[in-house]
Amino acid sequence: MAEDLLNQGYKDPAAVIVGGVLEENLRQLCLSNNIPIVKQDLTSGKLKPLKADTMNTELYKAGIYNMLVQKSIVAHLDLRNMAAHGKYGEYDKDQVQLMLSSIIDFISKFN
């Protein structure tokens, strides 16, 4: 879906969608490696899902992938956040295309 949107010139929804796919794959990678995906909130005592950035850090710390992969994911998550928060001028279509290609490669290697 993200690829079709990008090919039609809709870089912003494409970035949001592919970022969501990345986040879900980080979650699944954590689960398959016995890395918790929730933490207890100290104030309320309720379980809260970990943010994608935190899951990325935990996967790196566990040795699932190296620092270069971890930093690449940070950049992709930043781009997704820019798209989700309306900062459309801070990235371009080529960067979204690179993000899409990189995330497809990441998924094929680690899931």
Side-chain angles (χ1 to χ4, degrees):
M1 186 183 309
E3 187 172 17
D4 286 341
L5 286 168
L6 191 57
N7 288 337
Q8 294 176 36
Y10 298 106
K11 71 175 178 60
D12 309 316
V16 172
I17 289 171
V18 75
V21 169
L22 173 60
E23 185 169 349
E24 179 57 26
N25 275 273
L26 292 173
R27 189 174 294 109
Q28 294 304 317
L29 195 53
C30 283
L31 288 172
S32 67
N33 287 282
N34 298 312
I35 296 171
I37 59 170
V38 294
K39 70 174 182 177
Q40 190 169 25
D41 183 282
L42 298 176
T43 311
S44 68
K46 294 181 181 180
L47 292 178
K48 290 193 169 190
L50 292 181
K51 294 183 178 188
D53 229 15
T54 304
M55 289 186 286
N56 182 35
T57 300
E58 293 303 316
L59 288 161
Y60 164 69
K61 284 182 188 176
I64 307 305
Y65 44 72
N66 66 30
M67 185 179 286
L68 290 175
V69 172
Q70 189 263 342
K71 287 179 183 259
S72 175
I73 291 171
V74 167
H76 298 322
L77 293 172
D78 285 347
L79 196 156
R80 188 269 313 257
N81 285 339
M82 284 184 250
H85 295 284
K87 297 179 181 178
Y88 308 127
E90 294 191 25
Y91 60 94
D92 60 33
K93 181 181 178 182
D94 291 339
Q95 289 169 308
V96 178
Q97 181 62 58
L98 181 61
M99 175 186 177
L100 175 61
S101 298
S102 180
I103 290 171
I104 289 170
D105 184 55
F106 171 78
I107 292 168
S108 70
K109 286 182 182 173
F110 295 101
N111 284 324

